[in-house]
Amino acid sequence: DTGVSQDPRHKITKRGQNVTFRCDPISEHNRLYWYRQTLGQGPEFLTYFQNEAQLEKSRLLSDRFSAERPKGSFSTLEIQRTEQGDSAMYLCASSQEGWRASNGYTFGSGTRLTVV
Amino acid sequence: AQKITQTQPGMFVQEKEAVTLDCTYDTSDQSYGLFWYKQPSSGEMIFLIYQGSYDEQNATEGRYSLNFQKARKSANLVISASQLGDSAMYFCAMREGQDSGYALNFGKGTSLLVTP
């Protein structure tokens, strides 16, 4: 297993366009998390899935943000009608229920979004 | 609600010296977990060390150790024998509760620069 993969690594889009990011977690991990990281800040939790169920989504930043994990494997994060304030790094992480702290969360390298 | 505070925006250390990165936290939970992550310029979050609130001994992982002072609510990271490759952002984080699937709550981070 090569870890958590995120695609694309970089995305430049015009304001008002929709964008979608993909995350492929470690295959045996049933939990998947999305975070947003703006410049000079730590990652901020957005939402998480346990298998295909999205169990927490109240912290998605607005109704323009949505996420799916249709078969409990990969996940997508979509931002509709992008705004310049959406420019940030979007990080995905996965973990296994009953994790051990020493290897509890594995992060991807992130997708850097720039809205122009 | 939890809060993680990292008061050092940037730190310098000379190669082979030790450095301490500060982290204080606030939580009403009796059981909690604290993490340190390293984020190089490539963007991925690399797990360094974990401390459980009931762990009797301070955690150590190679050149990393955690100076855990529960009464003072501090969990400082000590890096011994700094190397040039240690230059990166360092984040302190606390595990949230079950409602968010035990997602991580991060501080703002400290930028560490190791000089020759």
Side-chain angles (χ1 to χ4, degrees):
Chain A
D1 200 332
T2 55
V4 177
S5 300
Q6 291 190 246
D7 184 68
R9 290 296 311 276
H10 303 274
K11 178 72 176 178
I12 300 175
T13 190
K14 291 184 178 179
R15 189 176 52 185
Q17 297 294 305
N18 299 344
V19 294
T20 301
F21 312 138
R22 176 177 171 130
C23 171
D24 287 88
I26 290 176
S27 55
E28 59 265 30
H29 284 182
N30 65 344
R31 286 186 177 151
L32 186 148
Y33 308 83
W34 284 99
Y35 293 83
R36 181 184 78 158
Q37 185 178 18
T38 54
L39 201 61
Q41 302 293 319
E44 173 189 13
F45 170 68
L46 297 178
T47 188
Y48 98 98
F49 294 84
Q50 181 151 319
N51 301 310
E52 67 276 7
Q54 190 176 12
L55 299 184
E56 170 55 65
K57 56 182 180 180
S58 68
R59 288 156 72 172
L60 286 167
L61 300 163
S62 78
D63 58 7
R64 298 184 297 105
F65 287 71
S66 63
E68 293 183 341
R69 194 183 184 196
K71 296 182 180 179
S73 56
F74 74 92
S75 175
T76 57
L77 178 70
E78 181 182 17
I79 309 174
Q80 296 183 328
R81 305 181 302 281
T82 52
E83 302 173 355
Q84 287 189 323
D86 297 332
S87 296
M89 174 80 88
Y90 291 85
L91 290 164
C92 175
S94 68
S95 73
Q96 176 61 31
E97 194 174 1
W99 55 271
R100 290 183 293 113
S102 60
N103 61 358
Y105 305 88
T106 304
F107 282 80
S109 295
T111 294
R112 185 170 295 282
L113 173 67
T114 302
V115 182
V116 298
Chain B
Q2 296 179 346
K3 187 175 181 181
I4 300 288
T5 303
Q6 294 180 256
T7 57
Q8 305 156 313
M11 291 282 286
F12 291 88
V13 65
Q14 202 159 14
E15 198 176 6
K16 300 180 185 177
E17 297 294 312
V19 63
T20 298
L21 306 183
D22 294 342
C23 173
T24 59
Y25 61 90
D26 193 17
T27 181
S28 56
D29 295 335
Q30 295 301 309
S31 175
Y32 50 89
L34 294 157
F35 297 74
W36 277 93
Y37 280 82
K38 172 184 178 181
Q39 187 178 42
S41 56
S42 53
E44 77 273 27
M45 302 291 282
I46 301 169
F47 168 77
L48 297 178
I49 198 166
Y50 168 81
Q51 180 82 44
S53 57
Y54 289 117
D55 293 343
E56 294 185 351
Q57 293 190 338
N58 287 346
T60 61
E61 292 282 350
R63 294 187 297 110
Y64 304 107
S65 60
L66 202 152
N67 184 2
F68 182 48
Q69 298 188 42
K70 193 171 180 178
R72 298 179 63 180
K73 294 189 174 179
S74 74
N76 298 339
L77 177 70
V78 180
I79 305 175
S80 63
S82 297
Q83 302 172 356
L84 295 178
D86 293 335
S87 295
M89 285 293 296
Y90 288 81
F91 291 94
C92 181
M94 177 177 283
R95 188 182 63 218
E96 295 192 8
Q98 188 175 2
D99 288 349
S100 64
Y102 305 105
L104 293 174
N105 179 17
F106 288 87
K108 289 188 174 183
T110 295
S111 176
L112 177 66
L113 181 63
V114 181
T115 60

Short mmCIF file of all heavy atoms in Angstrom, two decimals, chain B residues 50-104:
data_model
loop_
_atom_site.label_atom_id
_atom_site.label_comp_id
_atom_site.label_asym_id
_atom_site.label_seq_id
_atom_site.Cartn_x
_atom_site.Cartn_y
_atom_site.Cartn_z
N TYR B 50 3.11 10.60 20.02
CA TYR B 50 1.79 10.63 20.63
C TYR B 50 1.93 10.49 22.16
O TYR B 50 2.78 9.73 22.65
CB TYR B 50 0.94 9.47 20.11
CG TYR B 50 -0.34 9.23 20.88
CD1 TYR B 50 -1.46 10.01 20.63
CD2 TYR B 50 -0.42 8.24 21.86
CE1 TYR B 50 -2.63 9.81 21.34
CE2 TYR B 50 -1.59 8.04 22.58
CZ TYR B 50 -2.69 8.82 22.30
OH TYR B 50 -3.86 8.62 23.00
N GLN B 51 1.07 11.21 22.87
CA GLN B 51 1.01 11.12 24.34
C GLN B 51 -0.43 10.98 24.76
O GLN B 51 -1.26 11.84 24.44
CB GLN B 51 1.61 12.38 24.98
CG GLN B 51 1.60 12.39 26.50
CD GLN B 51 2.77 11.62 27.09
OE1 GLN B 51 3.90 11.74 26.65
NE2 GLN B 51 2.50 10.85 28.13
N GLY B 52 -0.75 9.92 25.46
CA GLY B 52 -2.08 9.76 26.03
C GLY B 52 -2.14 10.42 27.40
O GLY B 52 -1.13 10.44 28.13
N SER B 53 -3.31 10.90 27.76
CA SER B 53 -3.43 11.65 29.00
C SER B 53 -3.17 10.78 30.23
O SER B 53 -2.81 11.29 31.28
CB SER B 53 -4.82 12.29 29.11
OG SER B 53 -5.84 11.31 29.02
N TYR B 54 -3.35 9.48 30.10
CA TYR B 54 -3.12 8.60 31.23
C TYR B 54 -1.77 7.90 31.19
O TYR B 54 -1.46 7.08 32.05
CB TYR B 54 -4.25 7.55 31.32
CG TYR B 54 -5.57 8.15 31.75
CD1 TYR B 54 -6.67 8.12 30.90
CD2 TYR B 54 -5.72 8.75 32.99
CE1 TYR B 54 -7.89 8.67 31.29
CE2 TYR B 54 -6.92 9.30 33.39
CZ TYR B 54 -8.00 9.25 32.54
OH TYR B 54 -9.20 9.79 32.93
N ASP B 55 -0.99 8.22 30.15
CA ASP B 55 0.34 7.61 30.07
C ASP B 55 1.19 8.15 31.21
O ASP B 55 1.29 9.36 31.40
CB ASP B 55 1.00 7.93 28.73
CG ASP B 55 0.29 7.26 27.57
OD1 ASP B 55 -0.49 6.32 27.82
OD2 ASP B 55 0.51 7.68 26.41
N GLU B 56 1.83 7.25 31.92
CA GLU B 56 2.60 7.67 33.09
C GLU B 56 3.96 8.24 32.72
O GLU B 56 4.53 9.04 33.46
CB GLU B 56 2.77 6.50 34.05
CG GLU B 56 1.44 6.05 34.67
CD GLU B 56 1.63 4.96 35.71
OE1 GLU B 56 2.76 4.44 35.82
OE2 GLU B 56 0.65 4.63 36.38
N GLN B 57 4.48 7.82 31.59
CA GLN B 57 5.80 8.30 31.18
C GLN B 57 5.67 9.20 29.96
O GLN B 57 4.78 9.03 29.13
CB GLN B 57 6.70 7.12 30.85
CG GLN B 57 7.04 6.26 32.07
CD GLN B 57 8.13 5.25 31.76
OE1 GLN B 57 8.35 4.90 30.61
NE2 GLN B 57 8.82 4.79 32.79
N ASN B 58 6.60 10.13 29.85
CA ASN B 58 6.64 10.97 28.67
C ASN B 58 7.02 10.13 27.45
O ASN B 58 7.89 9.26 27.52
CB ASN B 58 7.66 12.10 28.85
CG ASN B 58 7.17 13.17 29.80
OD1 ASN B 58 5.99 13.22 30.14
ND2 ASN B 58 8.08 14.02 30.25
N ALA B 59 6.36 10.41 26.34
CA ALA B 59 6.61 9.64 25.12
C ALA B 59 7.96 10.02 24.51
O ALA B 59 8.40 11.17 24.58
CB ALA B 59 5.50 9.91 24.11
N THR B 60 8.61 9.03 23.91
CA THR B 60 9.84 9.26 23.16
C THR B 60 9.80 8.44 21.89
O THR B 60 9.26 7.32 21.87
CB THR B 60 11.10 8.88 23.97
OG1 THR B 60 11.03 7.49 24.27
CG2 THR B 60 11.21 9.68 25.24
N GLU B 61 10.32 9.03 20.81
CA GLU B 61 10.44 8.34 19.52
C GLU B 61 11.73 8.82 18.88
O GLU B 61 11.79 9.85 18.25
CB GLU B 61 9.27 8.67 18.59
CG GLU B 61 7.92 8.15 19.01
CD GLU B 61 7.72 6.66 18.72
OE1 GLU B 61 8.58 6.08 18.03
OE2 GLU B 61 6.71 6.11 19.18
N GLY B 62 12.79 8.05 19.07
CA GLY B 62 14.07 8.44 18.48
C GLY B 62 14.54 9.77 19.02
O GLY B 62 14.71 9.96 20.22
N ARG B 63 14.73 10.76 18.12
CA ARG B 63 15.22 12.07 18.54
C ARG B 63 14.10 12.97 19.08
O ARG B 63 14.37 14.10 19.51
CB ARG B 63 15.90 12.77 17.36
CG ARG B 63 17.17 12.09 16.88
CD ARG B 63 17.89 12.92 15.81
NE ARG B 63 17.09 13.09 14.61
CZ ARG B 63 16.56 14.26 14.24
NH1 ARG B 63 16.77 15.36 14.95
NH2 ARG B 63 15.84 14.34 13.12
N TYR B 64 12.87 12.48 19.04
CA TYR B 64 11.73 13.27 19.50
C TYR B 64 11.31 12.80 20.89
O TYR B 64 11.19 11.60 21.14
CB TYR B 64 10.55 13.12 18.54
CG TYR B 64 10.86 13.48 17.11
CD1 TYR B 64 10.98 12.49 16.14
CD2 TYR B 64 11.05 14.81 16.73
CE1 TYR B 64 11.27 12.80 14.83
CE2 TYR B 64 11.34 15.13 15.42
CZ TYR B 64 11.45 14.12 14.47
OH TYR B 64 11.74 14.45 13.17
N SER B 65 11.04 13.75 21.75
CA SER B 65 10.45 13.42 23.04
C SER B 65 9.40 14.48 23.36
O SER B 65 9.43 15.60 22.85
CB SER B 65 11.51 13.37 24.14
OG SER B 65 12.17 14.61 24.27
N LEU B 66 8.45 14.08 24.18
CA LEU B 66 7.35 14.96 24.52
C LEU B 66 7.43 15.25 26.01
O LEU B 66 7.41 14.31 26.82
CB LEU B 66 6.02 14.30 24.15
CG LEU B 66 4.83 15.23 23.94
CD1 LEU B 66 3.84 14.64 22.96
CD2 LEU B 66 4.14 15.51 25.27
N ASN B 67 7.56 16.51 26.35
CA ASN B 67 7.59 16.94 27.74
C ASN B 67 6.16 17.26 28.16
O ASN B 67 5.65 18.35 27.94
CB ASN B 67 8.50 18.17 27.88
CG ASN B 67 8.63 18.60 29.33
OD1 ASN B 67 8.08 17.97 30.23
ND2 ASN B 67 9.35 19.68 29.55
N PHE B 68 5.51 16.25 28.76
CA PHE B 68 4.10 16.32 29.10
C PHE B 68 3.95 16.74 30.55
O PHE B 68 4.40 16.04 31.46
CB PHE B 68 3.44 14.96 28.86
CG PHE B 68 1.96 14.90 29.14
CD1 PHE B 68 1.10 15.86 28.62
CD2 PHE B 68 1.42 13.86 29.89
CE1 PHE B 68 -0.26 15.80 28.86
CE2 PHE B 68 0.06 13.78 30.13
CZ PHE B 68 -0.79 14.75 29.61
N GLN B 69 3.33 17.91 30.75
CA GLN B 69 3.06 18.40 32.10
C GLN B 69 1.55 18.60 32.22
O GLN B 69 1.01 19.65 31.84
CB GLN B 69 3.83 19.69 32.37
CG GLN B 69 5.34 19.48 32.29
CD GLN B 69 6.11 20.70 32.74
OE1 GLN B 69 5.77 21.35 33.72
NE2 GLN B 69 7.16 21.03 32.00
N LYS B 70 0.91 17.57 32.74
CA LYS B 70 -0.55 17.52 32.72
C LYS B 70 -1.19 18.64 33.51
O LYS B 70 -2.16 19.26 33.09
CB LYS B 70 -1.02 16.15 33.26
CG LYS B 70 -2.47 15.81 33.01
CD LYS B 70 -2.71 14.37 33.38
CE LYS B 70 -4.15 13.97 33.14
NZ LYS B 70 -4.37 12.54 33.47
N ALA B 71 -0.64 18.94 34.68
CA ALA B 71 -1.23 19.98 35.52
C ALA B 71 -1.13 21.35 34.86
O ALA B 71 -2.01 22.20 35.04
CB ALA B 71 -0.53 20.00 36.88
N ARG B 72 -0.10 21.56 34.10
CA ARG B 72 0.08 22.83 33.39
C ARG B 72 -0.54 22.81 32.01
O ARG B 72 -0.52 23.80 31.28
CB ARG B 72 1.57 23.15 33.26
CG ARG B 72 2.27 23.33 34.59
CD ARG B 72 3.74 23.61 34.42
NE ARG B 72 3.98 24.87 33.72
CZ ARG B 72 5.17 25.36 33.45
NH1 ARG B 72 6.25 24.69 33.79
NH2 ARG B 72 5.31 26.51 32.82
N LYS B 73 -1.08 21.65 31.62
CA LYS B 73 -1.71 21.47 30.30
C LYS B 73 -0.73 21.88 29.19
O LYS B 73 -1.07 22.68 28.30
CB LYS B 73 -3.02 22.24 30.20
CG LYS B 73 -4.10 21.67 31.13
CD LYS B 73 -5.46 22.29 30.88
CE LYS B 73 -6.52 21.59 31.73
NZ LYS B 73 -7.87 22.17 31.52
N SER B 74 0.45 21.32 29.29
CA SER B 74 1.42 21.58 28.23
C SER B 74 2.00 20.27 27.71
O SER B 74 2.10 19.29 28.45
CB SER B 74 2.54 22.50 28.72
OG SER B 74 3.43 21.81 29.57
N ALA B 75 2.34 20.28 26.44
CA ALA B 75 2.87 19.09 25.77
C ALA B 75 3.92 19.54 24.77
O ALA B 75 3.69 19.54 23.57
CB ALA B 75 1.73 18.34 25.08
N ASN B 76 5.06 19.91 25.28
CA ASN B 76 6.12 20.48 24.44
C ASN B 76 6.91 19.39 23.73
O ASN B 76 7.23 18.35 24.31
CB ASN B 76 7.06 21.35 25.27
CG ASN B 76 6.35 22.52 25.89
OD1 ASN B 76 5.28 22.94 25.45
ND2 ASN B 76 6.93 23.06 26.95
N LEU B 77 7.25 19.64 22.49
CA LEU B 77 8.07 18.71 21.70
C LEU B 77 9.53 19.10 21.82
O LEU B 77 9.88 20.26 21.62
CB LEU B 77 7.65 18.74 20.23
CG LEU B 77 8.46 17.87 19.28
CD1 LEU B 77 8.18 16.39 19.53
CD2 LEU B 77 8.17 18.23 17.82
N VAL B 78 10.37 18.14 22.14
CA VAL B 78 11.80 18.36 22.19
C VAL B 78 12.45 17.56 21.07
O VAL B 78 12.24 16.34 20.97
CB VAL B 78 12.40 17.94 23.55
CG1 VAL B 78 13.90 18.19 23.56
CG2 VAL B 78 11.71 18.69 24.69
N ILE B 79 13.20 18.25 20.22
CA ILE B 79 13.96 17.59 19.17
C ILE B 79 15.43 17.68 19.56
O ILE B 79 15.97 18.78 19.74
CB ILE B 79 13.74 18.25 17.79
CG1 ILE B 79 12.26 18.33 17.45
CG2 ILE B 79 14.50 17.49 16.70
CD1 ILE B 79 11.95 19.10 16.17
N SER B 80 16.04 16.55 19.71
CA SER B 80 17.47 16.55 20.08
C SER B 80 18.32 16.42 18.81
O SER B 80 17.85 15.91 17.79
CB SER B 80 17.77 15.39 21.03
OG SER B 80 17.52 14.16 20.38
N ALA B 81 19.54 16.91 18.89
CA ALA B 81 20.50 16.77 17.79
C ALA B 81 19.87 17.14 16.45
O ALA B 81 19.78 16.32 15.52
CB ALA B 81 21.04 15.34 17.75
N SER B 82 19.43 18.39 16.34
CA SER B 82 18.72 18.85 15.15
C SER B 82 19.51 18.59 13.87
O SER B 82 20.75 18.71 13.85
CB SER B 82 18.42 20.35 15.26
OG SER B 82 17.57 20.61 16.35
N GLN B 83 18.78 18.30 12.83
CA GLN B 83 19.36 18.07 11.51
C GLN B 83 18.75 19.05 10.52
O GLN B 83 17.63 19.53 10.72
CB GLN B 83 19.08 16.62 11.05
CG GLN B 83 19.61 15.57 12.00
CD GLN B 83 19.15 14.17 11.63
OE1 GLN B 83 18.36 13.97 10.70
NE2 GLN B 83 19.64 13.18 12.37
N LEU B 84 19.45 19.31 9.43
CA LEU B 84 18.94 20.25 8.43
C LEU B 84 17.57 19.82 7.92
O LEU B 84 16.71 20.64 7.63
CB LEU B 84 19.93 20.39 7.28
CG LEU B 84 21.29 21.00 7.64
CD1 LEU B 84 22.20 21.02 6.41
CD2 LEU B 84 21.13 22.40 8.20
N GLY B 85 17.37 18.52 7.83
CA GLY B 85 16.09 18.00 7.34
C GLY B 85 14.94 18.18 8.32
O GLY B 85 13.79 17.89 7.96
N ASP B 86 15.23 18.67 9.50
CA ASP B 86 14.15 18.94 10.46
C ASP B 86 13.46 20.27 10.17
O ASP B 86 12.43 20.57 10.77
CB ASP B 86 14.72 18.98 11.89
CG ASP B 86 15.21 17.62 12.36
OD1 ASP B 86 14.73 16.60 11.85
OD2 ASP B 86 16.09 17.60 13.26
N SER B 87 14.01 21.07 9.27
CA SER B 87 13.38 22.34 8.92
C SER B 87 12.01 22.07 8.29
O SER B 87 11.90 21.39 7.27
CB SER B 87 14.25 23.11 7.92
OG SER B 87 15.47 23.49 8.51
N ALA B 88 10.96 22.58 8.94
CA ALA B 88 9.58 22.29 8.52
C ALA B 88 8.63 23.03 9.46
O ALA B 88 9.06 23.69 10.41
CB ALA B 88 9.30 20.79 8.59
N MET B 89 7.33 22.90 9.18
CA MET B 89 6.30 23.34 10.12
C MET B 89 6.00 22.19 11.07
O MET B 89 5.97 21.02 10.65
CB MET B 89 5.02 23.71 9.37
CG MET B 89 5.06 25.03 8.64
SD MET B 89 5.17 26.45 9.73
CE MET B 89 3.61 26.35 10.60
N TYR B 90 5.75 22.53 12.33
CA TYR B 90 5.43 21.52 13.33
C TYR B 90 4.09 21.89 13.97
O TYR B 90 3.90 23.03 14.41
CB TYR B 90 6.53 21.43 14.39
CG TYR B 90 7.77 20.79 13.86
CD1 TYR B 90 8.68 21.53 13.10
CD2 TYR B 90 8.03 19.45 14.07
CE1 TYR B 90 9.81 20.93 12.57
CE2 TYR B 90 9.17 18.84 13.56
CZ TYR B 90 10.05 19.60 12.81
OH TYR B 90 11.18 19.00 12.29
N PHE B 91 3.20 20.89 14.02
CA PHE B 91 1.87 21.12 14.55
C PHE B 91 1.60 20.21 15.75
O PHE B 91 1.88 19.00 15.70
CB PHE B 91 0.81 20.85 13.49
CG PHE B 91 0.81 21.84 12.36
CD1 PHE B 91 1.52 21.58 11.20
CD2 PHE B 91 0.12 23.03 12.47
CE1 PHE B 91 1.53 22.49 10.16
CE2 PHE B 91 0.13 23.95 11.43
CZ PHE B 91 0.84 23.68 10.28
N CYS B 92 1.04 20.81 16.78
CA CYS B 92 0.52 20.09 17.92
C CYS B 92 -0.97 19.87 17.68
O CYS B 92 -1.65 20.75 17.11
CB CYS B 92 0.74 20.91 19.19
SG CYS B 92 0.18 20.16 20.72
N ALA B 93 -1.49 18.71 18.06
CA ALA B 93 -2.89 18.43 17.80
C ALA B 93 -3.47 17.58 18.93
O ALA B 93 -2.74 16.83 19.59
CB ALA B 93 -3.06 17.68 16.47
N MET B 94 -4.78 17.70 19.11
CA MET B 94 -5.49 16.91 20.10
C MET B 94 -6.59 16.14 19.39
O MET B 94 -7.25 16.68 18.49
CB MET B 94 -6.08 17.80 21.18
CG MET B 94 -6.90 17.06 22.22
SD MET B 94 -7.50 18.14 23.52
CE MET B 94 -6.02 18.35 24.48
N ARG B 95 -6.80 14.93 19.82
CA ARG B 95 -7.86 14.11 19.24
C ARG B 95 -9.21 14.57 19.79
O ARG B 95 -9.38 14.69 20.99
CB ARG B 95 -7.61 12.64 19.59
CG ARG B 95 -8.52 11.64 18.92
CD ARG B 95 -8.20 10.24 19.39
NE ARG B 95 -8.44 10.10 20.82
CZ ARG B 95 -7.66 9.38 21.62
NH1 ARG B 95 -6.59 8.76 21.13
NH2 ARG B 95 -7.93 9.28 22.89
N GLU B 96 -10.16 14.80 18.88
CA GLU B 96 -11.50 15.17 19.30
C GLU B 96 -12.30 13.94 19.71
O GLU B 96 -11.78 12.83 19.74
CB GLU B 96 -12.21 15.92 18.16
CG GLU B 96 -11.55 17.25 17.82
CD GLU B 96 -12.40 18.10 16.91
OE1 GLU B 96 -13.56 17.75 16.66
OE2 GLU B 96 -11.90 19.14 16.44
N GLY B 97 -13.56 14.15 20.01
CA GLY B 97 -14.38 13.07 20.51
C GLY B 97 -15.03 12.22 19.43
O GLY B 97 -14.79 12.39 18.23
N GLN B 98 -15.89 11.33 19.86
CA GLN B 98 -16.50 10.35 18.98
C GLN B 98 -17.36 11.01 17.91
O GLN B 98 -17.44 10.52 16.78
CB GLN B 98 -17.34 9.37 19.80
CG GLN B 98 -17.86 8.20 19.02
CD GLN B 98 -18.58 7.20 19.91
OE1 GLN B 98 -18.72 7.41 21.11
NE2 GLN B 98 -19.02 6.11 19.33
N ASP B 99 -18.02 12.12 18.24
CA ASP B 99 -18.92 12.77 17.28
C ASP B 99 -18.22 13.16 15.99
O ASP B 99 -18.85 13.21 14.94
CB ASP B 99 -19.56 14.01 17.90
CG ASP B 99 -20.60 13.65 18.96
OD1 ASP B 99 -20.95 12.45 19.04
OD2 ASP B 99 -21.04 14.55 19.69
N SER B 100 -16.97 13.49 16.07
CA SER B 100 -16.22 13.84 14.86
C SER B 100 -15.31 12.71 14.43
O SER B 100 -14.36 12.93 13.67
CB SER B 100 -15.40 15.12 15.08
OG SER B 100 -14.42 14.91 16.07
N GLY B 101 -15.61 11.50 14.91
CA GLY B 101 -14.81 10.35 14.51
C GLY B 101 -13.37 10.44 14.99
O GLY B 101 -12.48 9.88 14.35
N TYR B 102 -13.18 11.13 16.09
CA TYR B 102 -11.84 11.30 16.66
C TYR B 102 -10.91 12.05 15.70
O TYR B 102 -9.72 11.76 15.61
CB TYR B 102 -11.24 9.96 17.07
CG TYR B 102 -12.13 9.18 18.01
CD1 TYR B 102 -12.85 8.08 17.57
CD2 TYR B 102 -12.26 9.58 19.34
CE1 TYR B 102 -13.69 7.39 18.44
CE2 TYR B 102 -13.10 8.89 20.21
CZ TYR B 102 -13.81 7.79 19.75
OH TYR B 102 -14.63 7.11 20.60
N ALA B 103 -11.45 13.01 15.00
CA ALA B 103 -10.63 13.86 14.14
C ALA B 103 -9.64 14.65 14.99
O ALA B 103 -9.79 14.77 16.21
CB ALA B 103 -11.51 14.82 13.35
N LEU B 104 -8.65 15.21 14.36
CA LEU B 104 -7.62 15.97 15.06
C LEU B 104 -7.93 17.46 15.02
O LEU B 104 -8.36 17.99 14.00
CB LEU B 104 -6.25 15.71 14.42
CG LEU B 104 -5.72 14.28 14.59
CD1 LEU B 104 -4.43 14.11 13.80
CD2 LEU B 104 -5.50 13.96 16.05
#
